[in-house]
Amino acid sequence: MVDPAPTRVADPVAARPSRRSRWRPARADVLAVAAYLALGVLVCLNYWVDVQHRVSSHLPTDHSWFEWLFSHGAYSVRHLENPLFTTRQNAPDGVNMMANTSLLGVTLPLAPLTMLLGPQVMYALYLGAALAATAGTAYWALSRHLVRSRAAAFVGGAFLGFAPGIVHHANGQPNFVSNFLLPLIVVRVLRLGELGRWRRNGVVLGLLVAYQIFINEEMLLLTALACLVVVLAYAVMRPRRAWAMAGSFAAALGVGGGLALLLTAYPIWFQFNGPQSYRGLQGGVFHNWGEDLKAFVTFARDTVAGDEAVEQTIGLTEQNTWFGWPLVLLSLVALVLLVRRWFAARILAVLVVVFAVASIGPKVRFDGVETETDGPWAYVPDDLPLVEMMMPTRLALVVVAAVGVLLALAWEAVSGVSRPPVPAQRTGEADAPTRPRRRWVRPVGYAAIALAVLPLVPRPLPAQPVDPPPHFITAGGWRPYVPQGRTLVPVPIPSNVHGLPTLRWSALTQHAFPIPGGYFIGPNELGEGVFGAPNRPTSSLIYTTMDQGTVPALTEENRRQAVEDLRFWKASVVVLGAHPREAVLRELMTALLGPPQRVDDVWLWDVRPLVP
């Protein structure tokens, strides 16, 4: 938090750094950013080997969804359409993009690049850049507002950008690695109490929050919860200073909140009240996902010390901590040693305890086994607004951030570099003076931090090959068959389980034609959120045939339902490309719609005579 009356530097001329001393920090900043960019390239290396034909082997459908999102941004800009809603997927009902992970704050500004490079290249390029940018803004926040040592800021920034829990989400979920605004938001929150600057601080915070809403609302919520805990802890530990800053803090917070609400009021209303909006998720599917206790001390798969086999027990949901036992041990020792000297360490200790416990979920899990012991979420109602859609394990991402800051403090303490006068006064901290240290402290401390962090260096994300769309699709052979206002029905119809290749038909043509089905969250008949479009008789029949590998006995009712479904979808053509189940799917569709045509490299059923 910021001291309400910071002390001025007595002699600004004497305090002015020389040109050489100014160059050293700038050079360190450039080297830090370059190192982060190199790490970003390393993480995405397996994609760049064949960027046009590779997707995440961990979450291939999510990978394709985000390729589709980049195309959505390009399509919205090119056609000047409302980006909050689209009928290019789940035709004719459409998809509420604000009620889904849409990444609009990224895909819209990058639309020109997507049009030029294509969504596959844009996905890989952005993923590495987002990781590096998050590390870069964290480095900036740490080096300008907490520590003096650029090396300490580099270590902390690297962990905040490339921690195992963050890299895990890079497997198909770039929205969870797009955290480059969050360090800036935290800095602005901690400066809200500055006297005489409440308007400026409030406006800057409001703009940052409004933009973050269009990147990832869930990470913004986690950041808000973390900031709330920090502010409350500060008020308890330093009540007089908190009271002195309360007026400016409240005024700035009101300005920031009001501005953010003004800028995002319509999109938020659209998210909860627009077409294809929903209330909660059916069955509270996320509510039971808590962090396994053993996960805290386990090495993640995508680190140099990790092993894929561990996922068979405790990694089936998400890997949001996975610090490895050396880092957990180091963090505990660092907290014990630093809490008396660093006020910031006391705040970090509170964050670690609160959010580590909160991430456990409704039942305590250990080594993949759900015990009978209740966790904190057992006492939280499933239907609370916002809470109903939260995943307890993701609260552990706040612990990740706290550990990253703790690493910076630990490096700073080991190095013996004291913080500069102005930031120390601005934070209002009166830490204990530096005591003489023994010579062995620095090498032992550096070695301990290195041994804890180096095993967590990320490996290239696993990737798998994926077949390209048929030439009939990419070359535009479909155009004579799909007039304006009609849809192309790919077989299998895209869903959250089936149809990964056919969803990419839409993504890689940048939404040239609308398709039924898809991979998204939309409402069921009760208004609850469900994954994918409600199955119609024909789509269910297709999925059953794929799963069983044989065509079931068909009736005239099946054929009547097929025609009815095609009319609902406003279909003009049904297309089957190369597929592992191509033979049985062609047999099924032939039994329903009659013999197909062989056009280019696809089987095609022109259903316009059936769907007037």
Side-chain angles (χ1 to χ4, degrees):
M1 302 295 288
V2 178
D3 193 292
T7 306
R8 301 284 182 182
V9 177
D11 187 354
V13 175
R16 187 179 302 159
S18 65
R19 180 178 301 177
R20 183 174 182 180
S21 63
R22 287 198 304 267
W23 163 242
R24 287 177 180 173
R27 181 175 59 184
D29 295 345
V30 172
L31 292 175
V33 172
Y36 295 151
L37 288 172
L39 271 176
V41 172
L42 172 69
V43 169
C44 301
L45 193 61
N46 285 333
Y47 297 145
W48 288 114
V49 170
D50 188 3
V51 71
Q52 302 290 343
H53 306 110
R54 288 201 171 190
V55 296
S56 167
S57 58
H58 186 73
L59 291 172
T61 309
D62 280 27
H63 185 132
S64 296
W65 162 253
F66 279 95
E67 288 181 340
W68 191 91
L69 288 179
F70 278 105
S71 288
H72 168 71
Y75 183 89
S76 299
V77 170
R78 183 189 299 113
H79 296 275
L80 299 179
E81 289 194 357
N82 177 14
L84 306 182
F85 186 79
T86 181
T87 56
R88 309 310 283 184
Q89 189 176 165
N90 192 35
D93 292 333
V95 178
N96 187 320
M97 300 304 293
M98 277 302 296
N100 281 268
T101 300
S102 57
L103 211 64
L104 292 173
V106 171
T107 62
L108 293 176
L110 294 180
L113 281 177
T114 303
M115 298 178 201
L116 178 66
L117 303 175
Q120 309 106 302
V121 174
M122 201 64 243
Y123 176 94
L125 190 64
Y126 174 75
L127 183 62
L131 289 163
T134 300
T137 56
Y139 168 84
W140 176 88
L142 291 170
S143 63
R144 269 60 174 182
H145 297 278
L146 187 61
V147 297
R148 185 176 183 181
S149 165
R150 289 298 199 267
F154 173 78
V155 172
F159 189 83
L160 286 164
F162 295 91
I166 302 299
V167 173
H168 166 76
H169 285 286
N171 288 280
Q173 296 177 328
N175 57 316
F176 279 103
V177 307
S178 303
N179 302 323
F180 40 83
L181 293 184
L182 300 184
L184 309 181
I185 289 174
V186 171
V187 167
R188 301 318 302 186
V189 170
L190 298 182
R191 299 188 65 179
L192 289 181
E194 288 181 310
L195 293 179
R197 296 181 177 181
W198 59 273
R199 291 185 183 88
R200 186 194 67 178
N201 288 337
V203 167
V204 174
L205 178 63
L207 292 174
L208 289 171
V209 168
Y211 193 23
Q212 178 64 31
I213 286 175
F214 295 101
I215 296 177
N216 191 327
E217 292 175 284
E218 187 172 354
M219 291 301 293
L220 177 62
L221 176 60
L222 294 179
T223 304
L225 292 174
C227 288
L228 176 62
V229 171
V230 169
V231 171
L232 292 177
Y234 186 91
V236 170
M237 296 178 190
R238 295 186 171 173
R240 290 185 179 180
R241 290 183 179 178
W243 181 253
M245 293 184 285
S248 295
F249 187 94
L253 186 62
V255 170
L259 178 60
L261 182 61
L262 178 67
L263 294 175
T264 61
Y266 176 72
I268 291 175
W269 174 89
F270 194 93
Q271 175 178 347
F272 294 102
N273 299 281
Q276 292 297 105
S277 58
Y278 51 88
R279 291 290 187 274
L281 289 177
Q282 186 181 42
V285 295
F286 291 155
H287 197 72
N288 293 324
W289 288 16
E291 191 76 343
D292 192 301
L293 293 182
K294 192 174 179 180
F296 285 91
V297 296
T298 304
F299 292 110
R301 178 198 63 190
D302 296 324
T303 60
V304 294
D307 184 359
E308 294 183 9
V310 76
E311 292 185 318
Q312 303 305 315
T313 55
I314 63 175
L316 298 180
T317 52
E318 291 191 355
Q319 300 172 20
N320 290 307
T321 52
W322 297 66
F323 299 129
W325 65 265
L327 181 57
V328 171
L329 181 61
L330 173 71
S331 299
L332 293 175
V333 172
L335 284 174
V336 170
L337 295 178
L338 296 179
V339 288
R340 295 185 62 185
R341 179 184 173 192
W342 294 77
F343 178 73
R346 299 170 216 165
I347 299 292
L348 294 175
V350 174
L351 284 174
V352 168
V353 171
V354 169
F355 285 93
V357 172
S359 69
I360 293 173
K363 289 291 184 181
V364 175
R365 297 172 184 263
F366 184 80
D367 199 18
V369 177
E370 185 178 279
T371 70
E372 296 300 320
T373 305
D374 285 341
W377 283 70
Y379 307 99
V380 178
D382 292 353
D383 56 352
L384 283 180
L386 296 180
V387 173
E388 62 185 350
M389 296 189 64
M390 288 185 65
M391 193 182 298
T393 178
R394 289 180 181 170
L395 291 169
L397 292 173
V398 177
V399 182
V400 172
V403 170
V405 178
L406 180 62
L407 284 171
L409 289 182
W411 189 282
E412 179 93 337
V414 168
S415 68
V417 178
S418 60
R419 289 174 297 136
V422 173
Q425 294 156 4
R426 290 164 76 181
T427 56
E429 298 177 19
D431 294 323
T434 303
R435 297 179 180 178
R437 66 178 67 221
R438 298 179 180 179
R439 293 182 178 179
W440 57 265
V441 170
R442 182 176 293 182
V444 170
Y446 286 158
I449 295 173
L451 290 174
V453 172
L454 289 178
L456 305 181
V457 171
R459 293 186 295 181
L461 298 175
Q464 68 183 36
V466 62
D467 293 332
H471 182 262
F472 174 81
I473 296 295
T474 57
W478 54 270
R479 294 186 183 279
Y481 300 93
V482 187
Q484 186 70 23
R486 303 296 285 271
T487 65
L488 183 150
V489 178
V491 179
I493 295 165
S495 73
N496 62 311
V497 177
H498 303 91
L500 162 64
T502 52
L503 179 62
R504 298 185 83 237
W505 293 6
S506 174
L508 303 191
T509 58
Q510 299 194 30
H511 300 190
F513 47 81
I515 58 172
Y519 183 62
F520 62 96
I521 302 178
N524 62 11
E525 62 278 1
L526 300 178
E528 300 171 314
V530 294
F531 288 92
N535 284 340
R536 297 190 67 83
T538 304
S539 54
S540 296
L541 191 59
I542 291 172
Y543 303 147
T544 300
T545 300
M546 291 175 62
D547 294 338
Q548 296 180 352
T550 59
V551 177
L554 301 179
T555 65
E556 288 302 318
E557 178 62 15
N558 295 129
R559 297 180 179 88
R560 186 196 65 79
Q561 289 175 337
V563 173
E564 183 177 329
D565 291 342
L566 292 171
R567 288 175 178 170
F568 173 80
W569 291 324
K570 299 181 180 178
S572 62
V573 65
V574 176
V575 179
L576 170 63
H579 191 278
R581 298 288 191 180
E582 179 182 345
V584 72
L585 287 173
R586 177 159 59 94
E587 182 182 351
L588 170 67
M589 300 312 297
T590 299
L592 290 175
L593 304 176
Q597 308 172 46
R598 185 65 179 178
V599 180
D600 200 346
D601 55 348
V602 303
W603 296 102
L604 182 146
W605 289 263
D606 188 343
V607 297
R608 284 176 289 181
L610 301 176
V611 186

